[in-house]
Amino acid sequence: MLLIPAIDLKNGFCVRLLQGKREEVTQYSDDPASTAKRWVHDGAELIHVVDLDGAFSGEQKNIESIKEIRAAVDVPIEVGGGIRSIERIAMLLSLGVDSIILGTVAVINPMLLEQACEKFPGKIIVGIDAKDGKVAIKGWEEVTEVDAGALSKNAEKVGASAIIYTDIVRDGMLSGPNVSATKAIAERVKIPVIASGGISTLSDIENLAKTGVIYGAITGKAIYSGAIHLKEAIEFVKNIK
């Protein structure tokens, strides 16, 4: 299982939110590129980047920070947050971003998701943010009636390269990931499923890895707060049988 550090961007700073609430913000760094370099130095093979301003407004406001992260590291980066047009996807890919994460648009404009997967094969990841099995959109401020499992099957059907599944109740809370829900999604599809939200201990990571079906796990607050040391955790994952 791949352990993936997260860099959440707000006003050019590296931050974390509690349960995605924009008012519950903790700033960790004013230099996201240096943070990315630190994670790669610790062994990260992929960096997860979210433009939080974009997630809330639908318009990216951290392009310069994304460019700096791309220039600073030589591992793949995946970027999400308010990406809602083919033109914006093309622009980000032209900057050297390796994968684009579509969340809200996968629900409100499924045709665009299908077009994106066709136009940029292997480059589109669907982010499924769920509360009690229902998909949340627009920076998690609106919970829909869309079933997370059904959305995962559709994402696979139209050609998404992977799914990132986030339990928004647990995100940023260091309360442990929703292993059973993530496993259930992973067992429904054949494309990789990445867990996100709530990881706080090496035991949490072990529980995800031992399902045998979860491709990767994103960690954010735990590595910023020091609850988990990324280098140690990556080595730990490699030794899980």
Side-chain angles (χ1 to χ4, degrees):
M1 188 180 76
L2 198 63
L3 197 59
I4 307 163
I7 295 180
D8 288 359
L9 300 170
K10 186 172 176 58
N11 298 322
F13 298 113
C14 185
V15 306
R16 294 303 293 168
L17 305 183
L18 285 180
Q19 298 180 319
K21 297 174 183 176
R22 67 173 87 190
E23 68 276 9
E24 297 284 350
V25 59
T26 301
Q27 180 180 318
Y28 285 103
S29 171
D30 60 1
D31 190 346
S34 290
T35 300
K37 289 170 73 172
R38 173 185 167 193
W39 298 147
V40 172
H41 179 267
D42 284 347
E45 298 176 38
L46 171 66
I47 303 288
H48 175 79
V49 181
V50 177
D51 185 331
L52 291 174
D53 296 300
F56 288 118
S57 70
E59 184 66 33
Q60 273 74 54
K61 297 181 181 179
N62 292 279
I63 295 298
E64 288 306 312
S65 293
I66 292 169
K67 288 180 181 178
E68 290 167 4
I69 291 169
R70 175 66 289 168
V73 299
D74 58 2
V75 302
I77 64 172
E78 57 188 29
V79 174
I83 304 169
R84 297 173 192 172
S85 72
I86 293 292
E87 293 75 19
R88 184 50 56 115
I89 294 169
M91 185 273 286
L92 288 166
L93 291 174
S94 75
L95 297 179
V97 172
D98 297 275
S99 297
I100 301 298
I101 305 160
L102 300 181
T104 293
V105 76
V107 176
I108 66 174
N109 191 352
M111 186 63 70
L112 191 145
L113 170 64
E114 190 169 347
Q115 291 170 347
C117 290
E118 182 177 347
K119 187 174 179 65
F120 309 107
K123 297 289 187 179
I124 305 300
I125 296 170
V126 171
I128 299 179
D129 306 324
K131 181 178 182 180
D132 300 325
K134 300 299 183 181
V135 179
I137 60 174
K138 299 178 182 177
W140 303 353
E141 293 188 319
E142 180 182 330
V143 179
T144 70
E145 290 302 311
V146 176
D147 178 73
L151 181 58
S152 69
K153 289 295 292 182
N154 184 65
E156 179 182 42
K157 178 183 176 182
V158 301
S161 62
I163 289 167
I164 296 173
Y165 182 80
T166 305
D167 185 315
I168 66 174
V169 174
R170 299 175 185 237
D171 187 75
M173 300 299 289
L174 300 180
S175 58
N178 192 330
V179 177
S180 60
T182 310
K183 181 184 178 186
I185 294 291
E187 289 176 338
R188 290 191 67 160
V189 297
K190 293 182 174 62
I191 57 177
V193 172
I194 298 168
S196 178
I199 292 173
S200 61
T201 67
L202 293 179
S203 293
D204 292 335
I205 295 168
E206 183 175 22
N207 290 337
L208 290 167
K210 284 193 169 181
T211 65
V213 293
I214 296 172
Y215 173 80
I218 294 169
T219 178
K221 187 173 182 180
I223 57 175
Y224 289 95
S225 68
I228 291 176
H229 295 284
L230 184 62
K231 186 174 183 178
E232 174 189 344
I234 289 172
E235 288 303 314
F236 176 76
V237 171
K238 290 177 181 178
N239 292 318
I240 295 174
K241 305 298 183 184

